[in-house]
Amino acid sequence: MNIIQISFLLGHASLDTTMRYLDITADDKRKALTTLEGEKEKNVTKKWKDSSGSLADFCGLKH
């Protein structure tokens, strides 16, 4: 896939925005991955689970 197609799929208004992501180093990647939680360590509650428990309600959509 070429960079123009990737830019379009990501919804970037400018090709320069997409190009920024191409300069990621292995160290940058490692640092980003260390911030992710593993499946067994997830401590963050699902923000869409409010009293109604409905994602549609959270997004303001009518049923």
Side-chain angles (χ1 to χ4, degrees):
M1 187 175 284
N2 70 46
I3 189 69
I4 296 170
Q5 291 170 317
I6 294 169
S7 183
F8 176 77
L9 289 173
L10 293 174
H12 293 160
S14 168
L15 190 58
D16 290 334
T17 304
T18 310
M19 295 295 287
R20 269 190 247 158
Y21 294 103
L22 295 178
D23 293 329
I24 297 172
T25 65
D27 193 43
D28 292 334
K29 224 184 281 185
R30 181 189 55 76
K31 286 177 186 174
L33 289 172
T34 60
T35 65
L36 299 175
E37 290 183 300
E39 284 296 315
K40 294 180 182 178
E41 302 157 348
K42 286 189 176 181
N43 299 321
V44 178
T45 57
K46 292 175 176 58
K47 294 178 181 160
W48 62 269
K49 290 240 180 196
D50 60 7
S51 59
S52 70
S54 168
L55 180 59
D57 289 338
F58 178 77
C59 295
L61 303 172
K62 298 191 184 216
H63 300 258

